[in-house]
Amino acid sequence: MSSIGVPGIILLVILALLLFGPNKLPELGRAVGRTFREFKDGAREIIGEDEVSRKNEPVQTLAAATGETQTAAPAASQSTAESKRLPE
């Protein structure tokens, strides 16, 4: 996919002026900015929660690890790898 370029951006600005008018464009820009900011904050919050949950997981020592946990680990990683596959 190629980039829009300068002529495409100029065309979009002219189209926006014709559709919304010069008085509505600042309001529209603010609304888009708020939407992006809320999305960004939400994404940071989700990533932060994921990192906190990883830090709170108990660390197993070698003496406490049993044969069941050692055999369950490859199965868990296999299911994670399967879930990351793209649909065919």
Side-chain angles (χ1 to χ4, degrees), residues 3-73:
S3 64
I4 295 175
V6 176
I9 292 174
I10 292 171
L11 182 64
L12 287 174
V13 169
I14 291 171
L15 232 161
L17 278 171
L18 290 174
L19 288 175
F20 300 108
N23 295 332
K24 288 283 186 180
L25 280 182
E27 291 177 30
L28 188 64
R30 278 188 223 105
V32 169
R34 280 188 217 117
T35 304
F36 282 137
R37 189 178 320 121
E38 288 177 14
F39 177 77
K40 193 174 173 182
D41 292 342
R44 282 184 186 159
E45 184 177 312
I46 291 171
I47 291 171
E49 289 174 359
D50 189 35
E51 289 176 0
V52 168
S53 67
R54 286 183 187 169
K55 289 179 183 177
N56 291 337
E57 289 179 357
V59 178
Q60 294 181 352
T61 60
L62 291 176
T66 63
E68 292 177 7
T69 57
Q70 291 175 354
T71 57

